């Protein structure tokens, strides 16, 4: 199997929101997923007020800190800084990686959504720590995408960059192993864990595919 990348030693990556876990408690899902084998968590709340997002981030950080799991905040750089998150994930239309790096130095690991190959030539890449390859397959949770990469596109990207690659979009028990073997350093899962009746067991099953 693929070796763990020392630059991003987090093979199973959970992207979580309250809405994606409904009707289960999202904080319960997060904790169960960590116990089952999730290595890193991103909080993605698209429809939340800044105050509500901050409150959620603080609650999740208590859990991730207890288990020694890195926490990534989606888009909201100020919240990531305030709660001392491990990292931030930004898309093409969010704050740009160079601006974040210049303002905050190494306080945050910076993930960037890779939506087409031309971005690999962007000057922004100098400030990027890891790349979210989005989506591998089309999903209901992300509809504003440019490229659907597929497994072959992921494999081509692997030959074009040394940066850690996180595969996201349609990642589940059927697709994760092939994305991993094609060169992903991490598999990002949303509904496969958030909508599972047993998030701990599901996380353990997914983790087994990546080791």
């Amino acid at each position: 199997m693929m070796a763990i990348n020392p630059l991003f030693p987090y093979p199973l990556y959970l992207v979580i929101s309250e809405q994606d876990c409904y009707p289960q408690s999202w904080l319960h899902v997060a904790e169960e997923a960590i116990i089952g084998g999730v290595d890193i968590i991103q909080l993605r709340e698209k429809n939340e007020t800044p105050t509500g997002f901050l409150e959620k981030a603080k609650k999740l950080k208590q859990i991730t800190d207890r288990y020694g799991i890195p926490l990534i905040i989606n888009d909201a750089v100020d919240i990531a800084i305030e709660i001392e998150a491990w990292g931030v994930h930004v898309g093409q239309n969010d704050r740009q990686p160079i601006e974040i790096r210049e303002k905050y130095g190494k306080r945050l690991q910076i993930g960037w959504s890779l939506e087409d190959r031309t971005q690999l030539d962007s000057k922004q890449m100098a400030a990027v720590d890891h790349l979210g390859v989005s989506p591998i397959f089309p999903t209901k949770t992300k509809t504003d995408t440019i490229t659907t990469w597929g497994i072959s596109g992921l494999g081509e990207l692997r030959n074009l960059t040394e940066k850690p690659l996180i595969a996201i979009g349609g990642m589940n028990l059927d697709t994760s192993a092939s994305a991993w073997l094609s060169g992903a350093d991490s598999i990002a899962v949303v509904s496969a864990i958030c909508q599972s009746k047993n998030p701990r067991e599901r996380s353990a099953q997914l983790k087994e595919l990546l080791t």
Side-chain angles (χ1 to χ4, degrees):
M1 285 301 235
M2 296 281 295
I4 301 295
N5 187 337
L7 296 174
F8 199 88
Y10 311 109
L12 187 54
Y13 184 131
L14 173 62
V15 180
I16 200 167
S17 73
E18 184 170 19
Q19 186 179 344
D20 287 323
C21 296
Y22 185 83
Q24 298 186 85
S25 153
W26 70 281
L27 289 168
H28 174 73
V29 170
E31 185 162 12
E32 287 291 294
I34 292 169
I35 295 167
V38 159
D39 300 291
I40 189 166
I41 296 184
Q42 180 193 138
L43 179 59
R44 181 172 75 189
E45 285 287 357
K46 292 291 189 189
N47 308 313
E48 189 56 273
T49 63
T51 309
F53 197 166
L54 177 60
E55 285 311 305
K56 285 181 173 175
K58 285 177 175 172
K59 286 176 182 167
L60 184 54
K61 180 84 165 19
Q62 289 179 332
I63 295 172
T64 55
D65 281 357
R66 191 182 322 141
Y67 290 94
I69 295 284
L71 176 60
I72 293 175
I73 297 296
N74 192 61
D75 297 351
V77 180
D78 50 339
I79 289 176
I81 287 293
E82 182 166 346
I83 67 160
E84 298 183 348
W86 180 86
V88 67
H89 188 88
V90 288
Q92 293 308 298
N93 305 319
D94 303 314
R95 282 173 72 179
Q96 295 296 284
I98 287 174
E99 181 200 338
I100 299 167
R101 182 70 76 218
E102 284 173 350
K103 185 164 183 182
Y104 298 113
K106 287 287 187 184
R107 285 173 67 185
L108 291 170
Q109 295 286 307
I110 299 173
W112 201 36
S113 294
L114 192 72
E115 295 183 356
D116 68 65
R117 278 182 189 75
T118 58
Q119 284 173 246
L120 292 175
D121 303 320
S122 164
K123 65 181 193 298
Q124 297 294 335
M125 288 289 284
V128 172
D129 293 299
H130 51 271
L131 292 163
V133 184
S134 168
I136 306 301
F137 300 112
T139 71
K140 291 185 186 129
T141 50
K142 199 151 171 51
T143 50
D144 56 344
T145 50
I146 302 168
T147 310
T148 297
W149 290 98
I151 296 296
S152 60
L154 176 63
E156 286 168 31
L157 280 178
R158 179 70 289 163
N159 295 324
L160 297 173
T161 180
E162 296 288 304
K163 303 264 186 198
L165 298 178
I166 298 147
I168 185 166
M171 292 291 102
N172 54 43
L173 286 174
D174 298 323
T175 56
S176 294
S178 55
W180 180 251
L181 291 171
S182 296
D185 298 293
S186 181
I187 302 296
V189 174
V190 189
S191 52
I193 289 175
C194 291
Q195 285 298 314
S196 169
K197 297 269 191 297
N198 189 332
R200 183 189 301 202
E201 183 183 33
R202 178 57 52 83
S203 300
Q205 291 167 333
L206 285 160
K207 185 68 169 279
E208 205 171 302
L209 298 173
L210 313 179
T211 47

